[in-house]
mmCIF file of all heavy atoms in Angstrom:
data_model
loop_
_atom_site.group_PDB
_atom_site.id
_atom_site.type_symbol
_atom_site.label_atom_id
_atom_site.label_comp_id
_atom_site.label_asym_id
_atom_site.label_seq_id
_atom_site.Cartn_x
_atom_site.Cartn_y
_atom_site.Cartn_z
ATOM 1 N N VAL A 115 -2.208 14.394 -24.023
ATOM 2 C CA VAL A 115 -3.258 15.419 -24.128
ATOM 3 C C VAL A 115 -4.113 15.294 -25.393
ATOM 4 O O VAL A 115 -5.348 15.361 -25.313
ATOM 5 C CB VAL A 115 -2.644 16.835 -24.023
ATOM 6 C CG1 VAL A 115 -3.689 17.900 -24.335
ATOM 7 C CG2 VAL A 115 -2.064 17.050 -22.630
ATOM 8 N N PRO A 116 -3.559 15.116 -26.588
ATOM 9 C CA PRO A 116 -4.416 15.095 -27.781
ATOM 10 C C PRO A 116 -5.462 13.987 -27.779
ATOM 11 O O PRO A 116 -6.447 14.063 -28.527
ATOM 12 C CB PRO A 116 -3.408 14.889 -28.926
ATOM 13 C CG PRO A 116 -2.110 15.386 -28.386
ATOM 14 C CD PRO A 116 -2.126 15.009 -26.942
ATOM 15 N N TRP A 117 -5.276 12.947 -26.955
ATOM 16 C CA TRP A 117 -6.200 11.807 -26.955
ATOM 17 C C TRP A 117 -7.049 11.744 -25.694
ATOM 18 O O TRP A 117 -7.726 10.745 -25.472
ATOM 19 C CB TRP A 117 -5.407 10.517 -27.127
ATOM 20 C CG TRP A 117 -4.840 10.358 -28.501
ATOM 21 C CD1 TRP A 117 -5.426 9.776 -29.586
ATOM 22 C CD2 TRP A 117 -3.556 10.789 -28.945
ATOM 23 N NE1 TRP A 117 -4.602 9.824 -30.678
ATOM 24 C CE2 TRP A 117 -3.428 10.442 -30.312
ATOM 25 C CE3 TRP A 117 -2.476 11.436 -28.329
ATOM 26 C CZ2 TRP A 117 -2.284 10.713 -31.064
ATOM 27 C CZ3 TRP A 117 -1.341 11.712 -29.076
ATOM 28 C CH2 TRP A 117 -1.257 11.347 -30.426
ATOM 29 N N ARG A 118 -7.011 12.798 -24.893
ATOM 30 C CA ARG A 118 -7.851 12.795 -23.703
ATOM 31 C C ARG A 118 -9.307 13.068 -24.061
ATOM 32 O O ARG A 118 -9.613 13.639 -25.090
ATOM 33 C CB ARG A 118 -7.344 13.823 -22.683
ATOM 34 C CG ARG A 118 -5.993 13.427 -22.088
ATOM 35 C CD ARG A 118 -5.497 14.422 -21.069
ATOM 36 N NE ARG A 118 -4.141 14.077 -20.638
ATOM 37 C CZ ARG A 118 -3.371 14.840 -19.893
ATOM 38 N NH1 ARG A 118 -3.822 16.008 -19.469
ATOM 39 N NH2 ARG A 118 -2.146 14.448 -19.558
ATOM 40 N N LYS A 119 -10.196 12.633 -23.178
ATOM 41 C CA LYS A 119 -11.645 12.787 -23.349
ATOM 42 C C LYS A 119 -12.152 12.076 -24.598
ATOM 43 O O LYS A 119 -13.133 12.496 -25.213
ATOM 44 C CB LYS A 119 -12.034 14.264 -23.363
ATOM 45 C CG LYS A 119 -11.694 14.986 -22.067
ATOM 46 C CD LYS A 119 -12.155 16.433 -22.070
ATOM 47 C CE LYS A 119 -11.816 17.113 -20.747
ATOM 48 N NZ LYS A 119 -12.252 18.530 -20.724
ATOM 49 N N THR A 120 -11.458 11.001 -24.977
ATOM 50 C CA THR A 120 -11.908 10.185 -26.110
ATOM 51 C C THR A 120 -12.292 8.778 -25.663
ATOM 52 O O THR A 120 -12.675 7.962 -26.498
ATOM 53 C CB THR A 120 -10.800 10.074 -27.176
ATOM 54 O OG1 THR A 120 -9.669 9.393 -26.609
ATOM 55 C CG2 THR A 120 -10.383 11.444 -27.684
ATOM 56 N N GLY A 121 -12.172 8.496 -24.371
ATOM 57 C CA GLY A 121 -12.468 7.160 -23.873
ATOM 58 C C GLY A 121 -11.267 6.235 -23.817
ATOM 59 O O GLY A 121 -11.392 5.067 -23.425
ATOM 60 N N VAL A 122 -10.091 6.746 -24.196
ATOM 61 C CA VAL A 122 -8.896 5.893 -24.211
ATOM 62 C C VAL A 122 -8.520 5.449 -22.796
ATOM 63 O O VAL A 122 -8.150 4.289 -22.572
ATOM 64 C CB VAL A 122 -7.720 6.622 -24.884
ATOM 65 C CG1 VAL A 122 -6.427 5.821 -24.717
ATOM 66 C CG2 VAL A 122 -8.005 6.837 -26.367
ATOM 67 N N SER A 123 -8.595 6.362 -21.834
ATOM 68 C CA SER A 123 -8.208 5.991 -20.471
ATOM 69 C C SER A 123 -9.101 4.875 -19.935
ATOM 70 O O SER A 123 -8.615 3.955 -19.266
ATOM 71 C CB SER A 123 -8.257 7.211 -19.548
ATOM 72 O OG SER A 123 -9.562 7.756 -19.489
ATOM 73 N N ARG A 124 -10.387 4.931 -20.255
ATOM 74 C CA ARG A 124 -11.294 3.865 -19.786
ATOM 75 C C ARG A 124 -10.948 2.534 -20.454
ATOM 76 O O ARG A 124 -10.979 1.479 -19.809
ATOM 77 C CB ARG A 124 -12.744 4.252 -20.082
ATOM 78 C CG ARG A 124 -13.779 3.204 -19.618
ATOM 79 C CD ARG A 124 -13.780 3.069 -18.098
ATOM 80 N NE ARG A 124 -14.668 2.043 -17.613
ATOM 81 C CZ ARG A 124 -15.957 2.237 -17.310
ATOM 82 N NH1 ARG A 124 -16.507 3.436 -17.481
ATOM 83 N NH2 ARG A 124 -16.701 1.266 -16.841
ATOM 84 N N ARG A 125 -10.610 2.564 -21.724
ATOM 85 C CA ARG A 125 -10.238 1.310 -22.401
ATOM 86 C C ARG A 125 -8.947 0.731 -21.837
ATOM 87 O O ARG A 125 -8.846 -0.487 -21.628
ATOM 88 C CB ARG A 125 -10.074 1.543 -23.913
ATOM 89 C CG ARG A 125 -11.382 1.511 -24.687
ATOM 90 C CD ARG A 125 -11.117 1.322 -26.165
ATOM 91 N NE ARG A 125 -10.500 0.030 -26.459
ATOM 92 C CZ ARG A 125 -9.887 -0.253 -27.612
ATOM 93 N NH1 ARG A 125 -9.778 0.675 -28.558
ATOM 94 N NH2 ARG A 125 -9.368 -1.455 -27.808
ATOM 95 N N LEU A 126 -7.961 1.587 -21.583
ATOM 96 C CA LEU A 126 -6.719 1.111 -20.979
ATOM 97 C C LEU A 126 -6.996 0.467 -19.621
ATOM 98 O O LEU A 126 -6.471 -0.599 -19.287
ATOM 99 C CB LEU A 126 -5.733 2.263 -20.808
ATOM 100 C CG LEU A 126 -5.058 2.774 -22.079
ATOM 101 C CD1 LEU A 126 -4.390 4.128 -21.824
ATOM 102 C CD2 LEU A 126 -4.027 1.770 -22.592
ATOM 103 N N HIS A 127 -7.822 1.137 -18.835
ATOM 104 C CA HIS A 127 -8.217 0.659 -17.511
ATOM 105 C C HIS A 127 -8.936 -0.679 -17.604
ATOM 106 O O HIS A 127 -8.575 -1.663 -16.932
ATOM 107 C CB HIS A 127 -9.115 1.731 -16.878
ATOM 108 C CG HIS A 127 -9.895 1.316 -15.676
ATOM 109 N ND1 HIS A 127 -11.125 0.683 -15.768
ATOM 110 C CD2 HIS A 127 -9.647 1.473 -14.350
ATOM 111 C CE1 HIS A 127 -11.594 0.476 -14.553
ATOM 112 N NE2 HIS A 127 -10.721 0.929 -13.673
ATOM 113 N N ASP A 128 -9.960 -0.752 -18.448
ATOM 114 C CA ASP A 128 -10.774 -1.970 -18.530
ATOM 115 C C ASP A 128 -9.968 -3.150 -19.073
ATOM 116 O O ASP A 128 -10.099 -4.279 -18.576
ATOM 117 C CB ASP A 128 -11.996 -1.731 -19.416
ATOM 118 C CG ASP A 128 -13.032 -0.821 -18.754
ATOM 119 O OD1 ASP A 128 -12.795 -0.395 -17.599
ATOM 120 O OD2 ASP A 128 -14.068 -0.536 -19.381
ATOM 121 N N GLU A 129 -9.145 -2.895 -20.078
ATOM 122 C CA GLU A 129 -8.379 -4.000 -20.665
ATOM 123 C C GLU A 129 -7.245 -4.446 -19.753
ATOM 124 O O GLU A 129 -6.838 -5.610 -19.789
ATOM 125 C CB GLU A 129 -7.863 -3.607 -22.051
ATOM 126 C CG GLU A 129 -8.993 -3.376 -23.044
ATOM 127 C CD GLU A 129 -8.624 -3.787 -24.461
ATOM 128 O OE1 GLU A 129 -7.692 -4.599 -24.632
ATOM 129 O OE2 GLU A 129 -9.277 -3.274 -25.390
ATOM 130 N N LEU A 130 -6.730 -3.541 -18.926
ATOM 131 C CA LEU A 130 -5.722 -3.946 -17.961
ATOM 132 C C LEU A 130 -6.323 -4.893 -16.917
ATOM 133 O O LEU A 130 -5.696 -5.881 -16.514
ATOM 134 C CB LEU A 130 -5.135 -2.711 -17.261
ATOM 135 C CG LEU A 130 -4.010 -2.973 -16.247
ATOM 136 C CD1 LEU A 130 -2.740 -3.437 -16.960
ATOM 137 C CD2 LEU A 130 -3.730 -1.724 -15.416
ATOM 138 N N LEU A 131 -7.554 -4.599 -16.493
ATOM 139 C CA LEU A 131 -8.172 -5.376 -15.419
ATOM 140 C C LEU A 131 -8.933 -6.603 -15.910
ATOM 141 O O LEU A 131 -9.170 -7.537 -15.127
ATOM 142 C CB LEU A 131 -9.121 -4.478 -14.610
ATOM 143 C CG LEU A 131 -8.466 -3.340 -13.827
ATOM 144 C CD1 LEU A 131 -9.529 -2.532 -13.093
ATOM 145 C CD2 LEU A 131 -7.424 -3.858 -12.847
ATOM 146 N N ALA A 132 -9.325 -6.611 -17.169
ATOM 147 C CA ALA A 132 -10.176 -7.706 -17.671
ATOM 148 C C ALA A 132 -9.588 -9.099 -17.446
ATOM 149 O O ALA A 132 -10.325 -10.023 -17.067
ATOM 150 C CB ALA A 132 -10.489 -7.486 -19.149
ATOM 151 N N PRO A 133 -8.289 -9.332 -17.654
ATOM 152 C CA PRO A 133 -7.771 -10.696 -17.486
ATOM 153 C C PRO A 133 -7.462 -11.084 -16.042
ATOM 154 O O PRO A 133 -7.094 -12.231 -15.782
ATOM 155 C CB PRO A 133 -6.455 -10.678 -18.298
ATOM 156 C CG PRO A 133 -6.374 -9.344 -18.967
ATOM 157 C CD PRO A 133 -7.249 -8.439 -18.188
ATOM 158 N N ARG A 134 -7.597 -10.158 -15.114
ATOM 159 C CA ARG A 134 -7.131 -10.412 -13.760
ATOM 160 C C ARG A 134 -7.974 -11.461 -13.045
ATOM 161 O O ARG A 134 -9.189 -11.506 -13.204
ATOM 162 C CB ARG A 134 -7.105 -9.133 -12.925
ATOM 163 C CG ARG A 134 -6.275 -8.006 -13.495
ATOM 164 C CD ARG A 134 -4.883 -8.415 -13.903
ATOM 165 N NE ARG A 134 -4.182 -9.176 -12.854
ATOM 166 C CZ ARG A 134 -2.990 -9.728 -13.032
ATOM 167 N NH1 ARG A 134 -2.379 -9.627 -14.216
ATOM 168 N NH2 ARG A 134 -2.405 -10.397 -12.058
ATOM 169 N N LYS A 135 -7.306 -12.289 -12.242
ATOM 170 C CA LYS A 135 -7.976 -13.334 -11.475
ATOM 171 C C LYS A 135 -8.162 -12.936 -10.011
ATOM 172 O O LYS A 135 -8.798 -13.671 -9.254
ATOM 173 C CB LYS A 135 -7.178 -14.642 -11.546
ATOM 174 C CG LYS A 135 -6.940 -15.145 -12.965
ATOM 175 C CD LYS A 135 -8.239 -15.390 -13.708
ATOM 176 C CE LYS A 135 -7.977 -15.939 -15.108
ATOM 177 N NZ LYS A 135 -9.236 -16.071 -15.891
ATOM 178 N N GLU A 136 -7.582 -11.797 -9.610
ATOM 179 C CA GLU A 136 -7.743 -11.359 -8.233
ATOM 180 C C GLU A 136 -9.203 -10.967 -7.975
ATOM 181 O O GLU A 136 -9.973 -10.722 -8.902
ATOM 182 C CB GLU A 136 -6.839 -10.160 -7.930
ATOM 183 C CG GLU A 136 -5.348 -10.460 -7.976
ATOM 184 C CD GLU A 136 -4.763 -10.480 -9.378
ATOM 185 O OE1 GLU A 136 -5.470 -10.073 -10.324
ATOM 186 O OE2 GLU A 136 -3.608 -10.890 -9.523
ATOM 187 N N GLY A 137 -9.556 -10.864 -6.712
ATOM 188 C CA GLY A 137 -10.924 -10.516 -6.359
ATOM 189 C C GLY A 137 -11.204 -9.033 -6.331
ATOM 190 O O GLY A 137 -12.373 -8.616 -6.301
ATOM 191 N N ARG A 138 -10.159 -8.209 -6.348
ATOM 192 C CA ARG A 138 -10.362 -6.771 -6.298
ATOM 193 C C ARG A 138 -9.120 -6.076 -6.833
ATOM 194 O O ARG A 138 -8.059 -6.688 -7.012
ATOM 195 C CB ARG A 138 -10.636 -6.301 -4.869
ATOM 196 C CG ARG A 138 -9.456 -6.520 -3.919
ATOM 197 C CD ARG A 138 -9.777 -6.096 -2.499
ATOM 198 N NE ARG A 138 -8.591 -6.140 -1.649
ATOM 199 C CZ ARG A 138 -8.560 -5.742 -0.385
ATOM 200 N NH1 ARG A 138 -9.657 -5.280 0.184
ATOM 201 N NH2 ARG A 138 -7.432 -5.796 0.303
ATOM 202 N N ALA A 139 -9.262 -4.776 -7.101
ATOM 203 C CA ALA A 139 -8.130 -3.956 -7.538
ATOM 204 C C ALA A 139 -8.096 -2.698 -6.687
ATOM 205 O O ALA A 139 -9.106 -2.281 -6.111
ATOM 206 C CB ALA A 139 -8.253 -3.597 -9.013
ATOM 207 N N THR A 140 -6.920 -2.096 -6.618
ATOM 208 C CA THR A 140 -6.753 -0.856 -5.866
ATOM 209 C C THR A 140 -5.919 0.126 -6.668
ATOM 210 O O THR A 140 -5.156 -0.271 -7.569
ATOM 211 C CB THR A 140 -6.081 -1.123 -4.499
ATOM 212 O OG1 THR A 140 -6.002 0.111 -3.765
ATOM 213 C CG2 THR A 140 -4.672 -1.674 -4.667
ATOM 214 N N LEU A 141 -6.080 1.394 -6.375
ATOM 215 C CA LEU A 141 -5.235 2.446 -6.947
ATOM 216 C C LEU A 141 -5.258 3.631 -6.011
ATOM 217 O O LEU A 141 -6.073 3.710 -5.086
ATOM 218 C CB LEU A 141 -5.691 2.838 -8.355
ATOM 219 C CG LEU A 141 -7.139 3.263 -8.611
ATOM 220 C CD1 LEU A 141 -7.445 4.657 -8.079
ATOM 221 C CD2 LEU A 141 -7.431 3.240 -10.109
ATOM 222 N N LEU A 142 -4.346 4.573 -6.242
ATOM 223 C CA LEU A 142 -4.244 5.784 -5.445
ATOM 224 C C LEU A 142 -4.465 6.998 -6.345
ATOM 225 O O LEU A 142 -3.896 7.084 -7.429
ATOM 226 C CB LEU A 142 -2.866 5.889 -4.783
ATOM 227 C CG LEU A 142 -2.433 4.715 -3.892
ATOM 228 C CD1 LEU A 142 -1.021 4.979 -3.341
ATOM 229 C CD2 LEU A 142 -3.412 4.484 -2.764
ATOM 230 N N VAL A 143 -5.293 7.921 -5.878
ATOM 231 C CA VAL A 143 -5.560 9.174 -6.585
ATOM 232 C C VAL A 143 -5.190 10.318 -5.653
ATOM 233 O O VAL A 143 -5.578 10.312 -4.475
ATOM 234 C CB VAL A 143 -7.046 9.296 -6.968
ATOM 235 C CG1 VAL A 143 -7.323 10.640 -7.630
ATOM 236 C CG2 VAL A 143 -7.462 8.164 -7.877
ATOM 237 N N ARG A 144 -4.446 11.267 -6.143
ATOM 238 C CA ARG A 144 -4.096 12.414 -5.291
ATOM 239 C C ARG A 144 -5.365 13.056 -4.741
ATOM 240 O O ARG A 144 -6.306 13.338 -5.477
ATOM 241 C CB ARG A 144 -3.311 13.455 -6.077
ATOM 242 C CG ARG A 144 -1.853 13.075 -6.282
ATOM 243 C CD ARG A 144 -1.000 14.313 -6.483
ATOM 244 N NE ARG A 144 0.383 13.982 -6.800
ATOM 245 C CZ ARG A 144 1.392 14.814 -6.635
ATOM 246 N NH1 ARG A 144 1.185 16.031 -6.178
ATOM 247 N NH2 ARG A 144 2.616 14.446 -6.945
ATOM 248 N N SER A 145 -5.373 13.299 -3.442
ATOM 249 C CA SER A 145 -6.545 13.905 -2.803
ATOM 250 C C SER A 145 -6.808 15.309 -3.330
ATOM 251 O O SER A 145 -7.929 15.812 -3.214
ATOM 252 C CB SER A 145 -6.354 13.945 -1.288
ATOM 253 O OG SER A 145 -6.175 12.631 -0.772
ATOM 254 N N SER A 146 -5.796 15.930 -3.908
ATOM 255 C CA SER A 146 -5.956 17.280 -4.468
ATOM 256 C C SER A 146 -6.536 17.263 -5.875
ATOM 257 O O SER A 146 -6.651 18.313 -6.501
ATOM 258 C CB SER A 146 -4.596 17.995 -4.486
ATOM 259 O OG SER A 146 -3.643 17.250 -5.246
ATOM 260 N N HIS A 147 -6.907 16.071 -6.374
ATOM 261 C CA HIS A 147 -7.477 15.941 -7.726
ATOM 262 C C HIS A 147 -8.884 15.357 -7.652
ATOM 263 O O HIS A 147 -9.116 14.201 -8.032
ATOM 264 C CB HIS A 147 -6.590 15.049 -8.593
ATOM 265 C CG HIS A 147 -5.229 15.618 -8.863
ATOM 266 N ND1 HIS A 147 -4.200 14.883 -9.406
ATOM 267 C CD2 HIS A 147 -4.717 16.853 -8.657
ATOM 268 C CE1 HIS A 147 -3.125 15.638 -9.527
ATOM 269 N NE2 HIS A 147 -3.421 16.835 -9.075
ATOM 270 N N PRO A 148 -9.865 16.119 -7.155
ATOM 271 C CA PRO A 148 -11.223 15.579 -6.978
ATOM 272 C C PRO A 148 -11.895 15.155 -8.279
ATOM 273 O O PRO A 148 -12.729 14.245 -8.279
ATOM 274 C CB PRO A 148 -11.983 16.729 -6.312
ATOM 275 C CG PRO A 148 -11.189 17.964 -6.644
ATOM 276 C CD PRO A 148 -9.766 17.527 -6.711
ATOM 277 N N LYS A 149 -11.550 15.785 -9.402
ATOM 278 C CA LYS A 149 -12.172 15.394 -10.670
ATOM 279 C C LYS A 149 -11.723 13.994 -11.090
ATOM 280 O O LYS A 149 -12.519 13.219 -11.635
ATOM 281 C CB LYS A 149 -11.849 16.415 -11.762
ATOM 282 C CG LYS A 149 -12.532 17.758 -11.575
ATOM 283 C CD LYS A 149 -12.243 18.704 -12.735
ATOM 284 C CE LYS A 149 -12.960 20.029 -12.564
ATOM 285 N NZ LYS A 149 -12.649 20.967 -13.690
ATOM 286 N N VAL A 150 -10.452 13.678 -10.833
ATOM 287 C CA VAL A 150 -9.967 12.328 -11.149
ATOM 288 C C VAL A 150 -10.640 11.317 -10.231
ATOM 289 O O VAL A 150 -11.066 10.237 -10.664
ATOM 290 C CB VAL A 150 -8.440 12.255 -11.019
ATOM 291 C CG1 VAL A 150 -7.940 10.855 -11.340
ATOM 292 C CG2 VAL A 150 -7.770 13.285 -11.938
ATOM 293 N N HIS A 151 -10.755 11.680 -8.964
ATOM 294 C CA HIS A 151 -11.459 10.814 -8.008
ATOM 295 C C HIS A 151 -12.877 10.538 -8.500
ATOM 296 O O HIS A 151 -13.337 9.384 -8.502
ATOM 297 C CB HIS A 151 -11.485 11.495 -6.636
ATOM 298 C CG HIS A 151 -12.232 10.742 -5.588
ATOM 299 N ND1 HIS A 151 -11.631 10.177 -4.502
ATOM 300 C CD2 HIS A 151 -13.560 10.449 -5.466
ATOM 301 C CE1 HIS A 151 -12.530 9.564 -3.754
ATOM 302 N NE2 HIS A 151 -13.710 9.733 -4.328
ATOM 303 N N ALA A 152 -13.583 11.590 -8.901
ATOM 304 C CA ALA A 152 -14.965 11.435 -9.360
ATOM 305 C C ALA A 152 -15.047 10.552 -10.606
ATOM 306 O O ALA A 152 -16.001 9.784 -10.771
ATOM 307 C CB ALA A 152 -15.576 12.807 -9.640
ATOM 308 N N LEU A 153 -14.042 10.651 -11.470
ATOM 309 C CA LEU A 153 -14.025 9.813 -12.663
ATOM 310 C C LEU A 153 -13.958 8.336 -12.282
ATOM 311 O O LEU A 153 -14.715 7.511 -12.807
ATOM 312 C CB LEU A 153 -12.831 10.183 -13.548
ATOM 313 C CG LEU A 153 -12.646 9.331 -14.812
ATOM 314 C CD1 LEU A 153 -13.807 9.547 -15.772
ATOM 315 C CD2 LEU A 153 -11.323 9.659 -15.492
ATOM 316 N N TYR A 154 -13.076 8.007 -11.352
ATOM 317 C CA TYR A 154 -12.964 6.607 -10.930
ATOM 318 C C TYR A 154 -14.236 6.130 -10.231
ATOM 319 O O TYR A 154 -14.645 4.979 -10.397
ATOM 320 C CB TYR A 154 -11.739 6.414 -10.039
ATOM 321 C CG TYR A 154 -10.455 6.339 -10.822
ATOM 322 C CD1 TYR A 154 -9.468 7.320 -10.681
ATOM 323 C CD2 TYR A 154 -10.217 5.302 -11.705
ATOM 324 C CE1 TYR A 154 -8.285 7.261 -11.410
ATOM 325 C CE2 TYR A 154 -9.039 5.234 -12.439
ATOM 326 C CZ TYR A 154 -8.080 6.212 -12.283
ATOM 327 O OH TYR A 154 -6.920 6.157 -13.009
ATOM 328 N N VAL A 155 -14.850 6.999 -9.457
ATOM 329 C CA VAL A 155 -16.128 6.634 -8.826
ATOM 330 C C VAL A 155 -17.152 6.285 -9.900
ATOM 331 O O VAL A 155 -17.911 5.313 -9.773
ATOM 332 C CB VAL A 155 -16.637 7.777 -7.926
ATOM 333 C CG1 VAL A 155 -18.084 7.528 -7.486
ATOM 334 C CG2 VAL A 155 -15.736 7.931 -6.703
ATOM 335 N N SER A 156 -17.174 7.055 -10.987
ATOM 336 C CA SER A 156 -18.127 6.775 -12.071
ATOM 337 C C SER A 156 -17.828 5.449 -12.760
ATOM 338 O O SER A 156 -18.699 4.880 -13.417
ATOM 339 C CB SER A 156 -18.115 7.914 -13.090
ATOM 340 O OG SER A 156 -16.926 7.892 -13.893
ATOM 341 N N TRP A 157 -16.604 4.933 -12.599
ATOM 342 C CA TRP A 157 -16.231 3.635 -13.174
ATOM 343 C C TRP A 157 -16.459 2.490 -12.193
ATOM 344 O O TRP A 157 -16.133 1.346 -12.492
ATOM 345 C CB TRP A 157 -14.762 3.646 -13.585
ATOM 346 C CG TRP A 157 -14.436 4.579 -14.723
ATOM 347 C CD1 TRP A 157 -15.302 5.306 -15.482
ATOM 348 C CD2 TRP A 157 -13.120 4.877 -15.234
ATOM 349 N NE1 TRP A 157 -14.620 6.050 -16.416
ATOM 350 C CE2 TRP A 157 -13.275 5.803 -16.285
ATOM 351 C CE3 TRP A 157 -11.840 4.459 -14.886
ATOM 352 C CZ2 TRP A 157 -12.196 6.312 -17.010
ATOM 353 C CZ3 TRP A 157 -10.767 4.970 -15.595
ATOM 354 C CH2 TRP A 157 -10.943 5.874 -16.644
ATOM 355 N N GLY A 158 -16.970 2.816 -11.021
ATOM 356 C CA GLY A 158 -17.285 1.774 -10.055
ATOM 357 C C GLY A 158 -16.374 1.689 -8.860
ATOM 358 O O GLY A 158 -16.572 0.858 -7.969
#
Side-chain angles (χ1 to χ4, degrees):
V115 172
W117 289 271
R118 292 181 186 171
K119 298 183 179 180
T120 63
V122 172
S123 61
R124 180 65 184 271
R125 277 197 64 196
L126 286 166
H127 166 275
D128 289 359
E129 295 214 21
L130 182 69
L131 294 179
R134 303 310 311 174
K135 303 301 182 185
E136 294 81 10
R138 64 182 188 176
T140 183
L141 54 74
L142 304 179
V143 177
R144 282 205 185 201
S145 300
S146 58
H147 295 168
K149 290 184 178 179
V150 180
H151 177 113
L153 177 66
Y154 281 115
V155 169
S156 73
W157 293 354

